[in-house]
């Protein structure tokens, strides 16, 4: 089990940040991903492997017409 | 040919010094008075400019009994000290302030186009129009010659796409001179509804076309046409980077260079405003279940992929043209569809350039009505613009009427034969044309959702509670286009907004619902204190909000408060100080806003509103109002109830809905208490004497007014 934005999420072996974003449908282009307190560079989303128990914060910025 | 001249005023244009011309142009259309008024140091200190000036003038012009269509009501258009600089993106905005026909309270809009900068460089910080003419008029301000003329406009068309082009041609000396003209106009729709808006033009040199931006919300166009104004035209030749005569140009240029660099490097990776404008939000909102679908019943729809920015970019938006609505804006979000052939109504067959389509319009006229057709969006957008109708209110009205029709609350007898089923684009367009003409069901629908609800209640005896739950308006203004059911903070953002539920005060859904960054009532109250105040500041200055957070520096996430975009806040401090020569801090920037924000709240009080009861939203803003909504997201709601400790075993949907409603309504009340407390208001939502003293707005009439409401 991992935590994503304070909610439990099932963990699967080999899971990357890109997978987490896809499963959660986090499609907003202005996000910052923080894993266990460390900011992950955008170009590592497809390669950064998640570990069981990781705490992930996907911070969405406000934007657009809003 | 221009019409008969009804009044003329000659003046010596004031030179703009440090962002201010120092004068306001006052016109009374009842007796054709034209005169100038000084902009005092006290006004600048307390109200800064833009919306602040508008509210101050309006406060002094109306009494608590004044109605929107009384001659005493005014329309004030003002930029602000930063307005008109050409270096920093988004610096050409005008604030428009008037008493709203929908809410009966002050309405403010922040609109692009060239009007406010050209007005200031013509020698006027603000234009204040009072009274009512007995015939249609055009007000023409010639900023180079120092002349103001009021002309008979009885023979002119009202609709914007005809009138703005005609007047641009008439008043420009040459093709090149057209960029020195800006026209404020509305349309027939504004004459026959309460949701009329104002278009503000600029001439697009590349397209050789007149473009328009909208002061959309709350019926400003309706007031404009009620005063019998067909158009206000300003002409000023000679805009330069120094026209604002700033105190320290270097400060402005440095801030501007930083932002332009971010835009050129990062916009393509962030919101792609340069490619698709705010339309990028359609797909985002749909993915996060936030896109209003079928009168806010749902937050997403499988067919939404037919109206995304991808579709508009590939098939409709003209690319690689500078879509800025004032000089120097590299964010360039004002997208347009060129050579669109109109399919319906009086302009069928004409080829037009449509300023389409922004997110709010796509969401309102399409998704919220269950229509997923991009060409319908362009058609409706064109007609709303040229008729002078607010797309957000229009989409809400149609969505509400369609839901009433589908639920059997109204029928063809009420709608005059229109089959107002969700998805029926032909019926929606027919209703739009009826609104513009003031005919049939359109005449009733054009009064807005609140009055339409009252009409339906009277005619049908329908369930009043259900109708209130599903009519998406607060204070009489229709809700803008975000589903707030899962964000308590955003519910407050809408419900407490001074002018009514528009997202320009606070948009907190991601912080609250997705990021979970503001979990407690105190956290939410802090956000609902800071953001509305901060965002008010743009409309005091003549600035656009988009360059604040629609583009962010690459290292923004590493800052202490990324949602405030600290680097851009510093840019704003530098811009203000650079223009005015003052030396404010970011805390003083907030104080400028907090003062005007509270003054506007008190203004609502003056107009007999502005207390807690007027901050109550329809239940659909807080949660699922109908069985269909609950069951469409039953897993989500069941889970929430279980986590809250409710025993839902064997319970019917209706029983679970009642539990959820009780919980959410109680949460909203607690939020209300927390926000009022943080803002320095009492439990009835009225600023305390201590608050108004702290802000320096403890004028005798303010103190006398709020004293009646102190606990």
């Amino acid at each position: 089990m991992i935590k994503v934005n304070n909610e439990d999420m099932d963990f699967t072996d080999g899971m990357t940040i890109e997978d987490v974003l896809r499963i959660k449908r986090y499609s907003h282009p202005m996000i910052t991903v923080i894993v266990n307190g460390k900011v992950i560079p955008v170009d590592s989303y497809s390669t950064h492997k998640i570990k069981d128990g990781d705490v992930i914060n996907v911070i969405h910025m406000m934007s657009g017409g809003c | 040919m221009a019409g008969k001249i009804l009044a003329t005023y000659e003046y010596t244009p004031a030179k703009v010094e440090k962002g201010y011309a120092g004068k306001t142009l006052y016109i009374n259309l009842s007796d054709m008075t034209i005169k100038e008024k000084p902009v005092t140091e006290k006004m600048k200190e307390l109200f800064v400019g833009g919306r602040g000036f508008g509210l101050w003038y309006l406060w002094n012009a109306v009494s608590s009994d004044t109605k929107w269509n009384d001659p005493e009501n005014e329309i004030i258009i003002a930029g602000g000290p930063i307005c008109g600089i050409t270096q920093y993106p988004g610096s050409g905005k005008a604030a428009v302030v008037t008493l709203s026909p929908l809410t009966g309270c002050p309405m403010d809009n922040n609109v692009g186009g060239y009007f406010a900068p050209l007005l200031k460089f013509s020698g006027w910080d603000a234009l204040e129009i009072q009274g009512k003419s007995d015939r249609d008029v055009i007000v023409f301000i010639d900023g180079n010659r120092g002349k103001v003329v009021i002309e008979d406009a009885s023979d002119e068309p009202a609709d914007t796409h005809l009138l703005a082009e005609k007047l641009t041609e008439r008043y420009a000396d040459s093709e090149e001179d057209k960029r020195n003209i800006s026209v404020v106009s509305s349309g027939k729709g504004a004459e026959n509804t309460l949701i009329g808006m104002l278009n503000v033009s600029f001439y697009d040199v590349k397209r050789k076309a007149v473009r328009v931006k909208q002061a959309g919300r709350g019926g400003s166009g309706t007031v404009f046409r009620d005063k019998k104004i067909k158009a206000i035209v300003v002409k000023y030749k000679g805009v330069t980077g120094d026209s604002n005569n700033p105190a320290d140009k270097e400060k402005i240029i440095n801030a501007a260079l930083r932002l332009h660099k971010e835009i050129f490097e990062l916009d393509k990776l962030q919101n792609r405003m340069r490619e698709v404008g705010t339309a990028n939000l359609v797909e985002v909102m749909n993915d996060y279940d936030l896109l209003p679908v079928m009168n806010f019943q749902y937050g997403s729809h499988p067919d939404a992929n037919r109206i995304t920015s991808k579709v508009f970019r590939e098939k409709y938006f003209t690319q690689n043209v500078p879509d800025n609505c004032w000089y120097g804006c590299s964010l360039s979000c004002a997208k347009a569809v060129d050579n669109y052939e109109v399919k319906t109504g009086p302009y069928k067959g004409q080829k037009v350039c449509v300023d389409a389509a922004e997110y709010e319009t796509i969401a309102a006229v399409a998704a919220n009505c269950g229509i997923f057709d991009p060409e319908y969006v362009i058609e409706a957008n064109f007609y709303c613009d040229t008729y002078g109708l607010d797309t957000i209110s229009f989409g809400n009205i149609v969505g509400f009427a369609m839901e009433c029709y589908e639920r059997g609350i109204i029928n063809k007898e009420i709608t005059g034969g229109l089959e107002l089923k969700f998805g029926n684009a032909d019926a929606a367009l027919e209703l739009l044309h009826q609104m513009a003409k003031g005919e049939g069901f359109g005449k009733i629908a054009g009064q807005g959702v609140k009055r339409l609800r009252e009409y339906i209640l009277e005619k049908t005896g329908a369930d009043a509670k259900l109708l209130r739950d599903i009519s998406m308006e607060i204070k009489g203004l229709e809700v803008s286009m975000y589903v707030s059911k899962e964000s308590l903070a955003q519910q407050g953002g809408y419900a407490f907004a001074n002018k009514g539920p528009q997202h320009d005060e606070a948009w907190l859904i991601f912080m609250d619902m997705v990021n979970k960054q503001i979990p407690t009532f105190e956290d939410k109250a802090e956000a609902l204190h800071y953001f509305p105040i901060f965002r008010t500041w743009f409309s005091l200055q003549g600035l656009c909000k988009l360059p604040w957070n629609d583009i962010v520096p690459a290292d923004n996430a590493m800052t202490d408060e990324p949602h405030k975009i600290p680097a851009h806040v510093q840019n704003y401090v530098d811009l203000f100080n650079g223009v005015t020569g003052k030396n404010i801090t970011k805390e003083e920037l907030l104080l400028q806003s907090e003062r005007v924000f509270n003054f506007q709240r008190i203004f609502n009080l003056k107009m007999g509103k502005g207390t807690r009861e007027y901050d109550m939203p329809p239940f659909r803003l807080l949660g699922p109002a109908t069985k269909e909504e609950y069951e469409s997201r039953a897993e989500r709601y069941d889970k929430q109830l279980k986590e809250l400790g409710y025993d839902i075993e064997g319970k019917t949907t209706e029983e679970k809905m009642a539990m959820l409603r009780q919980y959410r309504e109680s949460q909203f009340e607690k939020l209300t208490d927390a926000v009022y407390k943080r803002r320095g208001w009492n439990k009835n939502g009225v600023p305390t004497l201590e608050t108004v003293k702290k802000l320096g707005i403890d004028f005798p009439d303010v103190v006398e007014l709020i004293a009646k409401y102190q606990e």
Side-chain angles (χ1 to χ4, degrees), chain B residues 450-504:
Chain B
K450 181 171 183 279
R451 288 162 183 82
L452 177 57
R453 177 183 72 235
E454 289 162 357
Y455 175 84
I456 291 171
L457 267 177
E458 189 192 315
K459 287 284 172 192
T460 66
D463 178 351
K465 184 166 164 286
L466 172 68
L467 276 189
R468 180 62 191 113
D469 284 352
I470 66 172
S471 55
M472 300 304 286
E473 58 83 14
I474 306 170
K475 301 181 174 76
L477 184 72
E478 290 76 19
V479 180
S480 73
M481 289 293 121
Y482 303 93
V483 171
S484 60
K485 288 172 192 169
E486 303 311 312
S487 168
L488 180 58
Q490 187 57 34
Q491 292 160 19
Y494 271 143
F496 311 142
N498 276 328
K499 67 168 166 259
Q502 173 74 354
H503 53 278
D504 60 352

Side-chain angles (χ1 to χ4, degrees), chain B residues 115-310:
Chain B
F115 189 84
L118 297 187
L119 179 73
K120 179 157 70 172
F121 303 145
S122 295
W124 309 110
D125 287 321
L127 171 62
E128 180 187 7
I129 298 187
Q130 198 173 29
K132 285 167 85 161
S133 173
D134 59 4
R135 71 194 83 177
D136 281 336
V137 294
I138 291 168
V139 176
F140 174 52
I141 303 161
D142 187 328
N144 296 107
R145 291 198 173 92
K147 196 172 180 182
V148 181
V149 178
I150 303 174
E151 299 167 1
D152 189 316
S154 306
D155 297 332
E156 306 294 351
D159 290 347
T160 281
H161 84 288
L162 301 175
L163 184 61
E165 187 173 324
K166 188 174 178 186
L167 298 182
T168 302
E169 286 283 343
R170 177 186 299 166
Y171 292 108
D173 298 329
S174 62
E175 174 66 23
E176 197 187 343
D177 196 34
K178 288 180 182 172
R179 64 167 65 185
N180 304 317
I181 307 273
S182 179
V183 179
V184 182
S185 59
S186 191
K188 283 197 285 281
E191 295 166 15
N192 294 311
T193 69
L194 299 184
I195 62 166
M197 61 75 172
L198 293 174
N199 290 294
V200 177
S201 83
F202 63 103
Y203 190 70
D204 186 327
V205 175
K206 194 97 175 172
R207 287 184 168 88
K208 295 194 188 312
V210 174
R211 307 275 308 275
V212 283
K213 301 301 290 177
Q214 292 74 37
R217 307 302 332 262
S220 306
T222 301
V223 179
F224 188 85
R225 290 300 295 126
D226 182 67
K227 289 185 178 301
K228 299 267 186 196
I229 309 169
K230 276 245 173 85
I232 307 168
V233 184
V234 66
K235 177 178 178 180
Y236 175 79
K237 183 181 178 182
V239 175
T240 70
D242 290 328
S243 291
N244 231 1
N245 206 7
D248 184 350
K249 197 174 164 187
E250 200 76 5
K251 271 202 176 96
I252 300 167
I253 289 174
N254 288 338
L257 287 175
R258 290 194 293 270
L259 186 61
H260 285 300
K261 188 167 182 286
E262 287 167 22
I263 291 171
F264 285 117
E265 288 176 357
L266 301 171
D267 178 61
K268 55 185 176 287
L269 304 171
Q270 295 181 6
N271 284 331
R272 298 174 296 119
M273 300 294 279
R274 288 164 60 83
E275 277 180 50
V276 296
T278 60
N280 74 82
L281 284 172
V282 177
E283 46 268 40
V284 174
M285 294 305 143
N286 192 57
D287 283 352
Y288 288 80
D289 211 25
L290 299 170
L291 175 73
V293 170
M294 299 177 185
N295 196 32
F296 287 80
Q297 290 183 82
Y298 313 111
S300 58
H301 195 282
D303 291 340
N305 61 2
R306 294 168 57 198
I307 53 169
T308 61
S309 66
K310 188 168 181 282

Side-chain angles (χ1 to χ4, degrees), chain A residues 5-7 24-32 34 39 57-66, chain B residues 270-271 281 287-288 482 503 507 510 514-516 531 535 545-546 549-550 556-558 562-563 565:
Chain A
N5 285 2
N6 219 22
E7 284 178 357
K24 295 289 282 185
R25 296 191 72 185
Y26 285 166
S27 60
H28 186 46
M30 293 172 75
I31 55 170
T32 300
I34 302 165
V39 175
N57 290 100
V58 184
I59 304 299
H60 292 60
M61 297 304 297
M62 295 178 282
S63 68
C66 42
Chain B
Q270 295 181 6
N271 284 331
L281 284 172
D287 283 352
Y288 288 80
Y482 303 93
H503 53 278
W507 198 91
F510 283 159
V514 185
N515 302 343
K516 311 278 194 315
F531 287 103
R535 295 173 71 139
K545 165 260 159 196
L546 298 183
N549 71 347
D550 277 86
N556 183 63
M558 316 300 176
H563 282 93
I565 329 288

Side-chain angles (χ1 to χ4, degrees), chain B residues 643-676:
Chain B
E643 285 172 357
L644 290 166
Y646 286 92
D647 177 10
I648 62 167
E649 203 54 44
K651 296 286 192 293
T652 64
T653 299
E654 285 82 357
E655 287 167 330
K656 289 189 285 187
M657 283 172 65
M659 291 172 188
L660 193 63
R661 181 171 189 139
Q662 184 194 36
Y663 175 74
R664 291 198 173 186
E665 286 180 339
S666 72
Q667 293 290 292
F668 182 79
E669 291 298 334
K670 287 178 187 166
L671 177 77
T672 307
D673 288 338
V675 172
Y676 287 179

Side-chain angles (χ1 to χ4, degrees), chain B residues 598-610:
Chain B
N598 276 271
F599 186 70
Q600 189 165 352
R601 177 74 178 188
I602 293 165
F603 205 151
N604 286 352
L605 198 65
K606 172 173 171 167
M607 302 317 292
K609 294 169 183 172

Side-chain angles (χ1 to χ4, degrees), chain B residues 504-579:
Chain B
D504 60 352
E505 272 200 13
W507 198 91
L508 301 171
I509 300 181
F510 283 159
M511 276 185 89
D512 188 31
M513 180 187 100
V514 185
N515 302 343
K516 311 278 194 315
Q517 289 172 302
I518 43 175
T520 68
F521 287 111
E522 287 70 26
D523 294 334
K524 293 181 206 302
E526 183 57 36
L528 282 165
H529 174 67
Y530 177 84
F531 287 103
I533 285 171
F534 176 71
R535 295 173 71 139
T536 293
W537 196 75
F538 298 119
S539 65
L540 310 183
Q541 305 293 345
L543 287 172
C544 174
K545 165 260 159 196
L546 298 183
W548 164 52
N549 71 347
D550 277 86
I551 179 79
V552 302
D555 61 355
N556 183 63
M558 316 300 176
T559 59
D560 289 344
E561 297 179 297
H563 282 93
K564 294 183 178 175
I565 329 288
H568 290 180
V569 175
Q570 186 58 49
N571 282 355
Y572 294 126
V573 170
D574 290 349
L575 287 184
F576 184 81
N577 290 339
V579 170

